[in-house]
Amino acid sequence: MMTIEQKINMALAFKGMSQAALARAIGQTSSNFNQKLKRATFTQEELEQIAIALGGIYTFGFEFPDGTKI
């Protein structure tokens, strides 16, 4: 099973977005975002915000309008 860090990184690659851009999009500093990513300490609300910022939804993973699931 993939870690949340792997899922987020795959979703970022899929959308062509950097971690820094995602951090800004959800109102976090790059440093704070990176720490949470390494520790896997995102709340459910934060994961939902990340998914929205990436144009998808979060339901134990990321889903996109074209049917891609990560």
Side-chain angles (χ1 to χ4, degrees):
M1 188 166 162
M2 276 193 280
T3 66
I4 194 62
E5 179 179 9
Q6 290 170 318
K7 288 183 180 188
I8 290 171
N9 284 329
M10 285 183 68
L12 285 167
F14 177 75
K15 296 304 283 187
M17 182 184 264
S18 69
Q19 286 183 11
L22 178 56
R24 285 190 302 273
I26 64 168
Q28 293 188 13
T29 65
S30 292
S31 176
N32 185 54
F33 180 85
N34 191 47
Q35 288 175 2
K36 285 182 173 240
L37 188 61
K38 294 293 180 199
R39 294 183 186 136
T41 56
F42 291 107
T43 65
Q44 180 70 27
E45 182 180 336
E46 288 170 326
L47 292 170
E48 291 168 1
Q49 289 172 343
I50 288 167
I52 290 167
L54 291 168
I57 60 171
Y58 185 80
T59 56
F60 299 107
F62 296 95
E63 295 181 28
F64 296 91
D66 70 354
T68 300
K69 294 181 182 180
I70 298 173

